[in-house]
Amino acid sequence: MIIQVCIGSSCHVKGSYEVKTIFENLIREHHLEDQVTLRPAFCLGNCGEGVSVKIDGTAISDVTTENAAQVFAQHVLHS
């Protein structure tokens, strides 16, 4: 599974670094290091709706520090 977190200007300002850190911690917490790859992306095409994330090709917009764990649970743990 591949998770891409946009680190472009718009998403960066909206907290993409913090979202990426939350995902890193959740990957470790659930011992998924061998199954999940976390990658930066420079633009996922949803600049007005950032932080933008793609999980195995599925685009997810408006990811925040408040909902990142829920997004991870829904799209990674329950997939």
Side-chain angles (χ1 to χ4, degrees):
M1 175 175 286
I2 297 173
I3 300 174
Q4 295 175 284
V5 178
C6 180
I7 59 169
S9 299
S10 180
C11 288
H12 175 74
V13 168
K14 294 177 182 179
S16 64
Y17 180 79
E18 291 82 4
V19 168
K20 180 187 76 67
T21 300
I22 290 169
F23 285 159
E24 286 172 339
N25 292 336
L26 289 166
I27 290 166
R28 271 195 302 274
E29 179 181 319
H30 292 280
H31 309 288
L32 297 173
E33 296 91 343
D34 293 338
Q35 299 168 19
V36 177
T37 301
L38 183 61
R39 294 184 181 158
F42 285 102
C43 184
L44 296 175
N46 294 319
C47 298
E49 302 171 22
V51 170
S52 296
V53 173
K54 266 191 186 175
I55 299 177
D56 269 353
T58 300
I60 304 158
S61 298
D62 199 28
V63 179
T64 64
T65 55
E66 290 81 20
N67 70 9
Q70 178 184 357
V71 168
F72 186 87
Q74 180 180 355
H75 292 277
V76 177
L77 299 179
H78 297 120
S79 63

